[in-house]
């Protein structure tokens, strides 16, 4: 019986790693589409988001099967419960990448703006997502806490992007719509970071039994 459960647990971990990889690819593509103006990439982002939707349902089914058939307790129960929460956050990361893609298709790619800050923000977000999933698979509380702390970096990037957009508007008031589009994109990246934090906090719960705000 335990052997079957271990096989299911391995499948669960593999699925979560794969979902994390898809999230990473989606964010990379959104940043590339934004900076390069390659609109064709948006279709790929939509496909990745759709794959995340399907995997969320698949993993959810697996988790429920494990709960009903194996009736896990203690750490195993927390592991599965955390996975159920994590897949929701990863699916939403895919949705937000798709939302950015939709903005990219209609925005003005000839605006006078340096995309370096937003690109760096995207890279920081990718590191958070990858780190949170790795922490879950390794059951590494310290790595999960590092992801939570990294949220300050992404938040700081958002403030810098906002300041740069204000400066852009001061110099070019006619680019108001462009600034709004970019602010929305930066906000989506910030939200992706928030989802990575959620994942990391569920990692801590799965290992320690404690959720955010509760002392070890």
């Amino acid at each position: 019986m335990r052997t079957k459960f271990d096989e299911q647990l391995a499948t669960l971990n593999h699925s979560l790693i794969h979902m994390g990889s898809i999230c990473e690819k989606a964010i990379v593509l959104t940043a590339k589409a934004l900076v390069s103006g390659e609109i064709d990439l948006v279709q790929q982002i939509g496909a990745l988001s759709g794959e995340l939707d399907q995997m969320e349902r698949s993993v959810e089914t697996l988790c429920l099967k494990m709960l009903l058939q194996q009736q896990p307790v203690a750490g195993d129960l927390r592991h599965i419960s955390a996975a159920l929460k994590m897949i929701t956050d990863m699916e939403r990361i895919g949705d937000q990448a798709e939302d950015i893609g939709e903005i990219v298709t209609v925005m003005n790619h000839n605006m006078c703006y340096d995309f370096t800050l937003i690109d760096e923000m995207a890279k920081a977000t990718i590191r958070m997502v990858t780190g949170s999933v790795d922490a879950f698979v390794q059951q590494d509380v310290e790595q999960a806490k590092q992801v939570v702390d990294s949220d300050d970096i992404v938040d700081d990037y958002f403030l810098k992007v906002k300041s740069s957009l204000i400066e852009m508007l001061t110099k070019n008031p006619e680019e108001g719509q462009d600034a709004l589009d970019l602010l929305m994109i930066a906000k989506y990246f910030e939200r992706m970071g928030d989802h990575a934090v959620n994942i990391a906090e569920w990692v801590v719960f799965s290992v320690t039994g404690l959720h955010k705000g509760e002392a070890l």
Side-chain angles (χ1 to χ4, degrees):
M1 198 70 169
R2 180 69 203 190
T3 301
K4 176 65 174 178
F5 180 79
D6 287 341
E7 290 175 354
Q8 292 175 323
L9 204 57
T11 299
L12 174 61
N13 287 344
H14 178 76
S15 297
L16 288 168
I17 293 170
H18 187 51
M19 287 185 73
S21 175
I22 296 172
C23 288
E24 181 179 346
K25 289 178 184 176
I27 301 171
V28 168
L29 287 176
T30 57
K32 185 175 181 181
L34 172 64
V35 174
S36 68
E38 296 178 56
I39 306 301
D40 292 345
L41 296 176
V42 173
Q43 187 174 356
Q44 296 180 43
I45 298 167
L48 291 172
S49 178
E51 188 175 353
L52 283 170
D53 290 343
Q54 293 176 352
M55 288 204 68
E56 181 191 24
R57 292 190 290 270
S58 175
V59 172
E60 185 178 62
T61 298
L62 174 61
C63 288
L64 294 177
K65 185 182 296 183
M66 293 171 72
L67 290 171
L68 292 172
Q69 294 180 351
Q70 308 294 345
Q71 299 181 347
V73 296
D76 290 333
L77 178 59
R78 293 197 304 269
H79 194 85
I80 298 169
S81 300
L84 281 168
K85 297 289 187 178
M86 290 169 59
I87 58 175
T88 299
D89 282 297
M90 285 193 274
E91 187 273 335
R92 287 176 180 167
I93 288 172
D95 287 345
Q96 287 157 359
E98 192 171 17
D99 288 336
I100 292 175
E102 291 176 359
I103 296 174
V104 169
T105 60
V106 298
M107 67 184 291
N108 171 25
H109 292 279
N110 296 316
M111 69 181 81
C112 298
Y113 185 75
D114 182 357
F115 291 97
T116 301
L117 273 176
I118 294 184
D119 190 39
E120 290 298 320
M121 185 179 185
K123 291 176 181 175
T125 305
I126 291 169
R127 289 193 293 271
M128 289 182 68
V129 173
T130 303
S132 62
V133 176
D134 286 347
F136 176 78
V137 174
Q138 301 297 327
Q139 292 291 275
D140 189 333
V141 172
E142 289 307 312
Q143 185 174 0
K145 289 180 178 178
Q146 289 174 15
V147 172
V148 174
D149 292 341
S150 296
D151 192 42
D152 290 339
I153 296 173
V154 173
D155 288 346
D156 187 54
Y157 270 122
F158 177 75
L159 294 176
K160 289 178 179 177
V161 169
K162 187 164 68 172
S163 295
S164 70
L165 292 174
I166 292 172
E167 183 179 349
M168 183 181 85
L169 280 175
T170 301
K171 296 178 180 177
N172 305 289
E174 71 279 2
E175 295 188 331
Q177 183 60 53
D178 299 332
L180 183 59
D181 287 340
L182 291 173
L183 184 63
M184 285 295 297
I185 288 172
K187 190 63 181 177
Y188 281 128
F189 281 131
E190 183 192 38
R191 288 175 181 172
M192 290 177 187
D194 291 340
H195 287 303
V197 168
N198 290 343
I199 294 170
E201 287 173 342
W202 283 112
V203 170
V204 175
F205 168 77
S206 71
V207 176
T208 67
L210 301 173
H211 201 217
K212 55 184 177 182
E214 299 177 337
L216 288 171

